[in-house]
Amino acid sequence: MTKKDKIIQKYISNPESIKYKELKIILEDAWFIKIEAKWSHVKFKHPRLRNDIIIPVHNWECKDFYKKQTYKILTNNSLI
């Protein structure tokens, strides 16, 4: 099992347990494109999704709400 697979398994079992840099790895593995937005926000765009995911990042961390929301988007669209 690779490091990326371990991060994905950790995220599936408990979305709040990961850090922003691990969330970024998961999104990029699911073919999301990272776009720097204004100030401390980061936007992730996917070709199959209508809406973008916007995550405010402060001190290289994001709130648990955004981790859960991202998890719902990924699972509802069968991206992980």
Side-chain angles (χ1 to χ4, degrees):
M1 184 180 277
T2 65
K3 184 177 180 180
K4 192 184 312 181
D5 293 335
K6 289 180 184 179
I7 292 170
I8 292 171
Q9 290 295 41
K10 182 178 171 183
Y11 184 59
I12 290 171
S13 65
N14 185 7
E16 299 98 13
S17 67
I18 65 169
K19 300 206 177 281
Y20 166 72
K21 68 178 187 177
E22 296 169 328
L23 180 61
K24 181 180 157 224
I25 291 169
I26 292 168
L27 290 172
E28 289 174 345
D29 186 55
W31 296 95
F32 279 86
I33 299 167
K34 180 183 170 193
I35 301 168
E36 295 294 331
K38 293 184 178 181
W39 297 287
S40 61
H41 290 72
V42 179
K43 184 191 297 188
F44 289 93
K45 193 175 209 49
H46 193 278
R48 283 186 22 207
L49 297 180
R50 189 173 179 185
N51 297 326
D52 300 336
I53 298 174
I54 300 173
I55 302 173
V57 179
H58 302 282
N59 295 327
W60 293 102
E61 190 53 54
C62 62
K63 293 188 177 183
D64 291 344
F65 167 78
Y66 296 102
K67 296 173 190 175
K68 289 182 204 174
Q69 182 183 20
T70 303
Y71 178 75
K72 287 179 185 176
I73 291 169
L74 290 172
T75 55
N76 288 342
N77 293 296
S78 302
L79 297 173
I80 59 168

